[in-house]
Every structure is written in C-alpha cells, then in structure tokens.
C-alpha cells in the first residue's frame, strides 16, 4: 500500500426505495456466505452502486476507485502469446477454468480488508474475500502460479 495516499471516507449515495429490500437481501446473503462482515469503523469508506441484471435481480457494486489509488499495482509480467503457444505444442485436450463469482473465492488478507469498507443503508461492511473492482494485486498463497493472479486459466494435457 502507498503510504502517501490519505484514506477517503465517502458518503452514502442515494438508493432508490424500489431496490432497498433487494440490496438488504443481497447483503444478508453475502454475510451468510462469509464474504462480507459488518464493521463499526474504517478509515476508508466507499459508496455502493446498484445495477439491474439482465435476467432480473440486482448487482451490488462497490466503487473502489479511491482505495485503488493507495494500492501498489503488481507489475508481474504476463506471458507473451508466443510462449503460451509453445507450451501448448503437442497438447490434444484443452479446457478452461472459470469460477462463478471467482473473486469471492479467495480470502482477502486481514490487513487489506479496511480498504474494501463500504457504506449502505444497512450500515458499514467490509469484504473478507477479494471483491470485484479491487486493483490487481498478488494473492497470498498463490505466488508462483500464474503470478498469483485471478485469471481465466487454460488447462491442457500434453500428449503422453
């Protein structure tokens, strides 16, 4: 984290009454799944934005632009496409792994959780798992595997 960036506490954005119950339900689900937890205080507070999903329901987003300014961006180089193709030489079976809600699958380090605090009409929360919208960073415990990044990873089996 960059020490020269001052924490920002943003205010609650107006939430239409028509979606408040849906937002409350989404918050309950996220708490129940242990993805977020309610907190009393944070130096960082980000607002929420609610959008409608195409198939119905809502998507609860957190505007993490201000906290992202404090994160030191990982400069791990991505492989060149030529290197990827060379690794695939001789492979016969291909697949990809793409987890549903992939960002919520990885635990967020405790010292990083304060950056993800957000305010809602229900109170103040922070993420316990990596949220969508957080600037790219290394994930503890995954170093050495695709640079420790969340990516859609190709899986292949070389010819035996």
């Amino acid at each position: 984290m960059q020490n020269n960036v001052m924490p920002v506490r943003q205010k609650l954005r107006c939430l239409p009454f028509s979606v408040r119950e849906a937002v409350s339900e989404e918050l309950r689900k996220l708490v129940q799944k242990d993805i977020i937890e309610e907190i009393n205080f944070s130096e960082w507070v980000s607002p929420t934005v609610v959008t409608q999903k195409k198939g119905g329901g809502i998507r609860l987003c957190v505007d993490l632009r201000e906290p992202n300014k404090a994160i030191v961006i990982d400069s791990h180089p991505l492989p060149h496409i030529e290197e990827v193709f060379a690794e695939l030489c001789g492979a016969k079976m291909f697949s990809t792994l793409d987890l549903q809600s992939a960002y919520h699958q990885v635990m967020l380090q405790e010292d990083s959780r304060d950056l993800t605090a957000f305010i809602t009409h229900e109170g103040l929360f922070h993420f316990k798992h990596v949220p969508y919208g957080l600037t790219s960073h290394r994930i503890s415990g995954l170093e050495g595997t695709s640079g420790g990044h969340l990516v859609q990873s190709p899986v292949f089996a070389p010819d035996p």
Side-chain angles (χ1 to χ4, degrees), residues 72-86:
V72 176
I73 298 173
D74 183 17
S75 59
H76 182 79
L78 294 174
H80 291 276
I81 192 69
E82 292 84 13
E83 293 172 7
V84 174
F85 286 146

Side-chain angles (χ1 to χ4, degrees), residues 110-134:
E110 282 199 41
D111 61 350
S112 297
R113 293 178 184 178
D114 195 45
L115 284 170
T116 68
F118 60 97
I119 191 163
T120 72
H121 67 287
E122 295 276 342
L124 194 60
F125 297 84
H126 72 195
F127 281 91
K128 295 175 73 175
H129 291 78
V130 176
Y132 180 77
L134 192 62

Side-chain angles (χ1 to χ4, degrees), residues 45-102:
V45 177
S46 297
T48 53
V49 179
V50 179
T51 61
Q52 295 289 329
K53 290 183 179 179
K54 288 181 183 177
I58 60 141
R59 177 171 287 117
L60 182 63
C61 307
V62 178
D63 183 354
L64 295 170
R65 288 179 289 183
E66 290 300 321
N68 280 339
K69 293 175 184 177
I71 296 174
V72 176
I73 298 173
D74 183 17
S75 59
H76 182 79
L78 294 174
H80 291 276
I81 192 69
E82 292 84 13
E83 293 172 7
V84 174
F85 286 146
E87 286 184 33
L88 297 175
C89 184
K92 295 193 183 248
M93 293 181 9
F94 300 88
S95 183
T96 61
L97 299 176
D98 190 13
L99 300 172
Q100 180 182 358
S101 301

